[in-house]
Amino acid sequence: MSKRYTITAALPYTNGPIHIGHLAGVYVPADIYSRYLRLTGNDVAFICGSDEHGVPITIKAKKEGVTPQDIVDKYHAIIKTSFEDFGITFDNYSRTSAKVHHNTASEFFKTLYDKNEFVEEVSEQLYDAEANQFLADRFVIGTCPKCGNEESYGDQCENCGTSHNATDLISPKSVITGNVPTLKETKHWFLPLNKHEQFLKEWILEGHKKDWKPNVYGQVKSWIDDGLRPRAVTRDLDWGIPVPIEGGEGKVLYVWFDAPIGYISATKEWAAREGKNWEDYWKNDDTTLVHFIGKDNIVFHCIIFPAMLKAEGSYILPENVPANEFLNLEGSKLSTSKNWAVWLPDYLQDFPNQQDVLRYALTANAPETKDNDFTWKDFQARNNNELVAIFGNFINRVVVLTNKYYNGIIPEPSDLSSIDQETLAAVKAYPSVISSSIERYRFREASQELMNLARLGNKYLADEEPWKTIKTDEERTKTVMFVALQIASALSVLCEPFLPFTSAKMKNILNSRDNSWNNISSKEILLPADHQIGKAELLFSKIEDAQIQVQLDKLEASKKANEAANKAIEPQKKEITFDDFTKLDIRVGTILEAEKMPKTKKLLVLTVDTGIDTRTIVSGIAESFKPEDVVGKRVTVLVNLAPRRLRGVESQGMILMTENESGDLVFVNPDIAEVDNGLKIS
Ligand SMILES: [Zn+2]
């Protein structure tokens, strides 16, 4: 039965391009889901847009000496193109700087204000006197009160996901000047989340215990159990949507208040264009609302936005928020600032027309229940061993043989053997198997079921061997090819959510416009005898080791560049007195012996002549030096460091190290061969 769906995908933040983490966490699963719903005959509004307000954009604009509008215009265009390039089928991709959004968000705020849903409060907020600026959100970092992460932002800790007020941070520091902020009074409007606690408990903790993903449910439960507090929804900033009430001059809406309303304004914009009624998609109980997001957005989509919708009163609430965990890249966290990422425009340059390969690799390895790692080796294996060797190989054999034996005209089958019948029955079962996985947001599983159908096709051909029977039994060969073509046709439809570009190519080759998921189970045959198909066309091609090495080298280069950049900007430590310095006793020494500490990667156990004595020092340099390379080295030793036991060995001092220009560890070397060990350095 056809149903109405509003599917939203997290609004990407317009301060940089999109990388594979975004694609894997949000946009590919949301697109698979939306395409699937359309193929099964539902009414879908798939909505997204650029999030163009907030502090990081103003910081970036300041850094580059341009206006915030310049920044968002640039990245909105880049991001929008990437989505189109990767076949993400948004019905509307809007932006929060659009007029319709400013109006919608302002009205939403006013409605809550008029209904007395805010608490107005003059409170002391963090202030940077030198910059003449209140320090909200990303203008301030400090220690997270929940997990102890020392680089938490003012509104959210990226380490534990907790959302808090800037004044909750321990030892806050201004991002603009590095100063310790002072407190200054200012008026703001707060959304009293505590007032909605009971509703959130009933709606999520009781109502969605079974159907929401455990990682989402667990986070939400922990926040609610900790107790919810009022959150300011306005800011003392100049970039954003002006607070539309008296007393709000010079203030804007908090970016996380306006951004989710962006889903509503983008729907309005689309509905106006398509001649539809937007309210059907947001205010009708028959509509299913689903938010696709990454795990860092859970608090905003499961607590704050629903509280806003509930307070407003006329909106539906999300049926599900299937947030994914994080995707890591080659063992490390993806990071825009550290350039540890695979950017979509770069990917397309290196792998032109291979969008489906990335979509597939990211889906087959999606971080659905826990953080997961993207490796280029896995990407290569998914392509070469699955897409090329199984899926592509099957389709290619079917099309080539049909052309070779029958000039591309599907042959008339004779009696079906029991294997043929079982095979066709198995094909008919696949739509509901894949549906069931997709409807439970298990896209990895769904993609593997799709591959299983291709495997079934391959096995059928390998067992029935039409290339042999063509010499002995023409009638049997016709039947086998007929059955194989039915499998190919089913694959061309069922792969569309996952491999949309390949699906289009296959439908073109098979000369088939049938696009209905449900027909595969219900129709007797999918491609009739006498139907003319086209010529074979390569669907996937092998990815060579050299191509993968290029990608690994790129990552290595950004690691090096990042290390160099970090070194350049590391701030000076706190001042010390001359007396503090004279407490350090640093001597010239020589390494006499060295051996690897058993069962460790990093530690070498060194015997060092310090001139005072011969002692043992454990040093964390084993990843950079082999024991035999350091014996005889002149070194600089801090000799009066209190002894410390490491893995049962007492270390009596520290060898001073630094890094060379390529980021490799090197000794701080006295480089004066004539001096005796024990010479003091001061
Ligand atoms: Zn934290």
Side-chain angles (χ1 to χ4, degrees):
M1 202 180 68
S2 174
K3 281 179 67 181
R4 192 187 309 106
Y5 286 86
T6 303
I7 312 296
T8 72
L11 305 185
Y13 202 63
T14 28
N15 65 342
I18 296 280
H19 59 57
I20 54 168
H22 303 124
L23 214 52
V26 178
Y27 305 104
V28 166
D31 187 60
I32 292 173
Y33 193 68
S34 299
R35 283 178 181 267
Y36 160 74
L37 290 175
R38 292 191 197 105
L39 281 170
T40 47
N42 297 286
D43 175 8
V44 177
F46 182 21
I47 296 297
C48 193
S50 294
D51 178 3
E52 305 193 327
H53 298 130
V55 169
I57 285 164
T58 51
I59 293 180
K60 191 164 182 116
K62 251 182 210 160
K63 233 187 237 168
E64 295 186 11
V66 297
T67 66
Q69 192 64 47
D70 292 334
I71 297 286
V72 302
D73 285 348
K74 174 178 166 188
Y75 289 111
H76 172 74
I78 292 174
I79 293 171
K80 190 166 189 274
T81 304
S82 279
F83 285 139
E84 286 162 7
D85 285 344
F86 278 83
I88 309 294
T89 50
F90 296 129
D91 290 295
N92 193 25
Y93 188 77
S94 186
R95 53 195 302 194
T96 59
S97 61
K99 192 158 179 284
V100 59
H101 176 65
H102 275 239
N103 292 341
T104 305
S106 296
E107 271 166 36
F108 202 106
F109 184 91
K110 269 192 279 186
T111 305
L112 295 200
Y113 178 80
D114 291 341
K115 289 181 77 179
N116 268 325
E117 291 287 348
F118 293 132
V119 179
E120 186 177 317
E121 202 181 277
V122 174
S123 61
E124 294 194 308
Q125 295 294 326
L126 303 182
Y127 185 73
D128 184 334
E130 190 186 331
N132 188 23
Q133 170 85 56
F134 278 97
L135 299 176
D137 310 333
R138 301 204 169 197
F139 274 137
V140 57
I141 58 167
T143 302
C144 167
K146 176 141 183 173
C147 75
N149 166 27
E150 289 178 8
E151 300 204 328
S152 173
Y153 296 118
D155 57 340
Q156 194 188 19
C157 168
E158 287 199 330
N159 188 50
C160 67
T162 309
S163 138
H164 44 231
N165 294 318
T167 45
D168 297 337
L169 289 176
I170 302 159
S171 19
K173 204 172 78 179
S174 165
V175 167
I176 313 168
T177 61
N179 293 343
V180 174
T182 54
L183 290 170
K184 187 176 170 179
E185 282 198 340
T186 178
K187 183 165 72 178
H188 281 295
W189 287 268
F190 290 74
L191 183 68
L193 292 175
N194 42 314
K195 188 180 145 186
H196 303 285
E197 207 171 295
Q198 193 52 37
F199 143 72
L200 289 166
K201 270 185 185 159
E202 283 165 20
W203 172 55
I204 303 177
L205 300 190
E206 290 161 29
H208 288 297
K209 188 169 183 166
K210 297 232 166 73
D211 56 334
W212 281 21
K213 292 169 69 166
N215 56 322
V216 177
Y217 183 87
Q219 272 208 35
V220 172
K221 183 171 185 331
S222 122
W223 286 315
I224 296 178
D225 289 349
D226 280 354
L228 300 174
R229 292 185 298 143
R231 291 293 310 270
V233 294
T234 52
R235 292 289 188 262
D236 291 291
L237 296 170
D238 50 15
W239 178 247
I241 297 175
V243 172
I245 53 169
E246 216 186 293
E249 297 79 13
K251 299 174 196 286
V252 299
L253 302 183
Y254 173 40
V255 63
W256 267 111
F257 183 86
D258 97 65
I261 297 173
Y263 301 137
I264 301 168
S265 13
T267 311
K268 278 188 185 175
E269 194 178 63
W270 165 75
R273 199 169 62 212
E274 301 289 320
K276 302 201 179 219
N277 176 5
W278 73 270
E279 293 194 329
D280 287 345
Y281 296 83
W282 280 97
K283 299 193 172 185
N284 185 325
D285 285 336
D286 293 338
T287 299
T288 301
L289 173 64
V290 181
H291 297 310
F292 281 85
I293 56 166
K295 80 166 162 190
D296 48 339
N297 290 348
I298 292 176
V299 65
F300 301 106
H301 286 79
C302 297
I303 293 186
I304 298 176
F305 189 44
M308 287 162 56
L309 293 172
K310 184 74 171 45
E312 202 278 349
S314 66
Y315 285 88
I316 54 171
L317 297 170
E319 189 63 37
N320 210 319
V321 185
N324 273 339
E325 298 288 289
F326 286 141
L327 184 74
N328 295 322
L329 171 59
E330 298 286 352
S332 298
K333 200 174 161 186
L334 277 154
S335 163
T336 301
S337 55
K338 292 179 182 157
N339 195 27
W340 190 255
V342 179
W343 305 102
L344 299 193
D346 294 352
Y347 172 89
L348 267 191
Q349 212 160 33
D350 293 347
F351 298 96
N353 300 318
Q354 297 187 66
Q355 294 94 324
D356 278 351
V357 180
L358 188 61
R359 284 179 66 117
Y360 179 73
L362 293 176
T363 304
N365 195 25
E368 285 178 359
T369 51
K370 57 176 175 57
D371 288 358
N372 222 347
D373 202 24
F374 176 90
T375 67
W376 280 108
K377 282 281 166 206
D378 178 71
F379 165 84
Q380 183 187 26
R382 295 280 180 195
N383 180 72
N384 292 357
N385 305 342
E386 296 176 15
L387 293 176
V388 175
I390 300 169
F391 195 106
N393 181 42
F394 170 67
I395 299 298
N396 195 50
R397 284 204 285 187
V398 172
V399 176
V400 166
L401 294 182
T402 306
N403 274 290
K404 185 171 166 193
Y405 301 157
Y406 313 112
N407 291 320
I409 296 168
I410 298 182
E412 188 78 47
S414 34
D415 289 344
L416 298 179
S417 71
S418 61
I419 293 199
D420 302 338
Q421 283 167 353
E422 279 163 27
T423 302
L424 289 174
V427 173
K428 284 186 192 304
Y430 267 92
S432 72
V433 168
I434 297 174
S435 293
S436 157
S437 296
I438 292 179
E439 284 170 14
R440 287 174 298 140
Y441 309 102
R442 296 184 181 182
F443 303 105
R444 287 174 79 129
E445 189 181 275
S447 71
Q448 294 317 292
E449 290 298 348
L450 175 74
M451 196 50 69
N452 284 339
L453 175 56
R455 277 194 183 93
L456 178 133
N458 256 342
K459 182 174 187 312
Y460 177 78
L461 279 188
D463 290 348
E464 301 308 311
E465 300 179 306
W467 45 87
K468 282 193 183 161
T469 57
I470 190 74
K471 293 164 203 150
T472 54
D473 188 344
E474 274 189 37
E475 284 311 303
R476 179 63 198 149
T477 309
K478 284 181 184 168
T479 309
V480 169
M481 290 311 299
F482 178 85
V483 170
L485 280 154
Q486 307 308 311
I487 304 174
S489 175
L491 273 173
S492 75
V493 175
L494 295 178
C495 80
E496 199 221 280
F498 310 91
L499 309 168
F501 297 93
T502 307
S503 170
K505 266 191 194 172
M506 284 166 70
K507 285 172 193 158
N508 201 31
I509 295 169
L510 296 174
N511 187 22
S512 157
R513 302 287 164 264
D514 188 350
N515 209 14
S516 168
W517 190 277
N518 303 329
N519 278 352
I520 297 166
S521 327
S522 61
K523 268 173 90 171
E524 200 54 46
I525 47 172
L526 297 171
L527 283 180
D530 289 333
H531 175 84
Q532 171 82 54
I533 68 165
K535 295 271 181 263
E537 204 184 307
L538 204 59
L539 295 180
F540 303 101
S541 50
K542 199 173 168 221
I543 292 174
E544 303 295 341
D545 290 346
Q547 287 173 275
I548 295 303
Q549 195 54 48
V550 169
Q551 300 304 321
L552 294 173
D553 291 348
K554 268 193 191 177
L555 287 175
E556 192 58 35
S558 58
K559 189 180 260 173
K560 287 264 160 72
N562 186 49
E563 280 165 1
N566 266 356
K567 259 184 291 177
I569 54 161
E570 198 167 309
Q572 178 181 310
K573 285 185 187 169
K574 247 202 227 149
E575 191 175 276
I576 60 166
T577 64
F578 184 69
D579 282 351
D580 289 335
F581 172 71
T582 56
K583 285 180 193 162
L584 301 176
D585 190 344
I586 304 172
R587 307 284 180 123
V588 172
T590 304
I591 297 177
L592 302 177
E593 295 165 23
E595 57 182 56
K596 193 115 190 282
M597 174 91 82
K599 292 182 187 164
T600 67
K601 264 200 231 160
K602 288 192 173 163
L603 300 182
L604 286 187
V605 182
L606 307 173
T607 306
V608 182
D609 177 356
T610 64
I612 306 166
D613 52 20
T614 297
R615 59 173 81 185
T616 302
I617 295 176
V618 179
S619 187
I621 57 173
E623 286 179 320
S624 308
F625 297 96
K626 289 188 194 131
E628 58 268 31
D629 296 340
V630 302
V631 172
K633 278 262 189 231
R634 302 303 299 278
V635 289
T636 313
V637 192
L638 175 60
V639 291
N640 64 336
L641 185 67
R644 212 152 66 100
R645 287 192 84 78
L646 289 162
R647 302 282 179 123
V649 178
E650 187 172 87
S651 178
Q652 302 159 308
M654 179 188 278
I655 310 278
L656 303 191
M657 307 295 297
T658 185
E659 284 174 16
N660 65 11
E661 68 286 354
S662 43
D664 301 324
L665 217 51
V666 292
F667 290 101
V668 176
N669 192 329
D671 202 22
I672 22 180
E674 311 85 74
V675 303
D676 291 333
N677 287 339
L679 183 78
K680 273 183 85 170
I681 295 173
S682 57

